Amino acid sequence: MASAYEYKTDSCLDPVSHNSNEAAINGNSRHMASGLTIPERALQLFQDAEILAPMVRASTTPLRSLAISYGCDLVYSEEIIDRAITSTERVYNENIGTIDYRRKIESFSAKVQRRMATNNDPVHTVIRIDPLLERNKLIFQLGTGEAGLALPAAIMVQNDVDGIDINMGCPKKFSVSGGMGSALLEDLPRACDVVSTLCRNVSVPVSCKIRLLKDDTKTVDFVTALVKAGASAVAIHAREVGDEAQQAAQLDRLVGVVKLLKSSSIGVPIIINGDMYTRNDMVNLRRRSGADAVMLVRPTLYNTSIFRKPPINANDQANESQEEETRYGYDSKLLLSKTQVVQDYLAHAQSYEGFVKNIKYVVCEMMTNRRTPTNLSLFMPTKFSRGQTIEDICKCKSMESLCKIWDVSSRSAMVSNASQVVLDGGKESVWAVDMHTYDDRYFLDPEALRKEQEVKEAGSGKETEKESTRDNKSINSERPIKGERILEYAKNGNIDEALDLLHVVEAKYLETRNIAIKPNVSTYISVINALSKSKVNPQRAQDILDRIDALNDTTNDDTLRIDVGCVCYNTVLDAWGWSSAPDKVQRANKLFHRMLDLYTSESNLQAKPNIVTLNSLLNACAFARVKGEEGHAAAILEVATNAFEKFADGEYGSANGLTYFTMLKIFNKFLPMNDDRTEKMKNVFHQCCENGYLDKKVFNQLEKGVPTNELKYLLGNGFSMDAAGKVRIDKRKIPQLGIRIKQKQKK
């Protein structure tokens, strides 16, 4: 947008119409078609954007599509926890033309699986994406606290979204206790580790959403560190952890922080969030702060049509500064009635087969201003044309009854079991239960619900304490206690203590075969990560994997196996890659083939190699020391070439920019300057063009390894030399890339 008031068509998209195409179904690199670098892509996404914020239970497909239909530029999904997304499978929903990430049936316990089979219950959909409507508009918000857990989740969804956002602001107990959300604000190294790990391995922009810290300087330093780690954009909420929603946002502090960041040439889009309930608020706060974009949370629930943009002409521009205070305030003519907004939302909810309890929750939020700052609630009435009340909504047990109250025609033929399920006594089928529990008293009697939850928590705490005291010597209590201690040791870098305690737990498990004390995958991952990051002796991390294999070899019972995923193997591979071990290429290659064997033999399907595996192995090759003996360089080249070719058919993922850069670096390092090297580098360059991963690092390697005359021929009009004889490259004029872009546009 050229200005905050630039006209954008109110598309009034028909929520019932879902078209599909092959690219949408297969998730084919929606974010790469432009051939832009990731920073360029981030600027394209976030600059001047008006954004729907991530909201638990609310930012699902119906609200996201409604916001887009009103003119929203960018929408965030609700926060999805890393383990939740990695336990799903990607399914194309032919009925409504969406990409659904559905929880795998095997991720449920055997008891739940039997109940689901008996009741014929569908499997819960964790996230639903409209690949056409949300193309170039969807940011996936990830709840995570560890790079090792964040990476497989991000890789899994990257081809269906336009960016990955790390939640670093949620203060809820669920997030903080898991080391996620605002817990990351107190652990900058861990926060940066998550960001840098994703940025090295995914092909979409990575952003972060944070809160103000206690001190403005600390906030600026935190954002600066995230950007140095690779973050392509940062959203800042104008409240600290602990600030109540009913308190006014600290907008003056937010303005000061953004100005400090801009004066330091931060170099990435800064997004502001907090108490912008009118279009005037959005425009004025952007002007005061110099921010690049605005993000709206509760204002979009109060009236989602706040995203409707005004037309602009010469007369409007002349009178803009004089009249904007009255034209685009709480009584703006751009706003639709709240009744109309609820009706539109229900139409979208039916179209996307929304889950009825989520729909009820969002409608109730649209009908109240309970979390609005007290000083603003007077300007925000909650009356509706037919006198609908929250009590009426809470009585509804199906989409049909909800639609009847709001006079919306029920499209029962389109609504799945998920939205038609009848809530007997307020209980749902087991498949429909998600991590965000809901109770009608949340709106009807919040104080009573809060007190009941406090009593339950207090009772649970006492009971747990008694159990712990009574069973202190019981073997069943040892895994939680020691597991937590192992995690703590590993997190704090006390590797020897973590290993010693892990040996004790393993020995006791092997002795008793008691599954209650079996070390879990998270315990192993934490120790492997700690060992790998130390970069002292990757063999110790390798030993952990060997011990896991030894434990698995002692049983034929699948319930007793410890099947660690590719994240663990990739972490050890990465450790070998960065080590100074003289045989690190052979070690890394052996581990790579071990992963292939485990996957192809179906011994451990979770060990399937991915693009991170390839990049880690290539990294080991690129930074290997060349020994004096003959054939050493050739052996390294063979390892790299064979691994690169393994990924040619796409079964294990597609190469990215880092892959091509590293492969070119390997050719430059281990091959002499001759026709063979030139041809190999040209082949990699062509593949890089075809997949849209050209960047400065690739060009630098190409310039080093290809003779100038060949480079000129290869790059065509994209090649030039300045007066000093230095090569200049304009990738927009490169023939191969230009042809690819035109083909994509033609399609």
Side-chain angles (χ1 to χ4, degrees), residues 462-475 477:
K462 290 176 183 178
E463 183 178 342
T464 303
E465 186 176 348
K466 290 177 181 177
E467 287 283 336
S468 177
T469 303
R470 183 173 63 250
D471 295 334
N472 192 39
K473 296 182 180 180
S474 168
I475 195 168
S477 67

Side-chain angles (χ1 to χ4, degrees), residues 689 694 731-745:
C689 284
L694 289 177
K731 68 178 183 180
R732 294 170 297 182
K733 297 180 181 179
I734 296 173
Q736 296 91 335
L737 187 59
I739 292 170
R740 179 182 174 277
I741 292 173
K742 288 178 182 178
Q743 288 174 341
K744 289 284 185 180
Q745 290 172 342

Side-chain angles (χ1 to χ4, degrees), residues 40-71:
E40 290 170 341
R41 181 66 179 132
L43 193 64
Q44 184 185 70
L45 286 169
F46 293 103
Q47 188 67 45
D48 298 319
E50 295 175 3
I51 304 170
L52 176 72
M55 291 175 280
V56 171
R57 286 192 295 266
S59 295
T60 52
T61 324
L63 186 65
R64 299 199 308 266
S65 65
L66 178 67
I68 290 172
S69 76
Y70 287 152

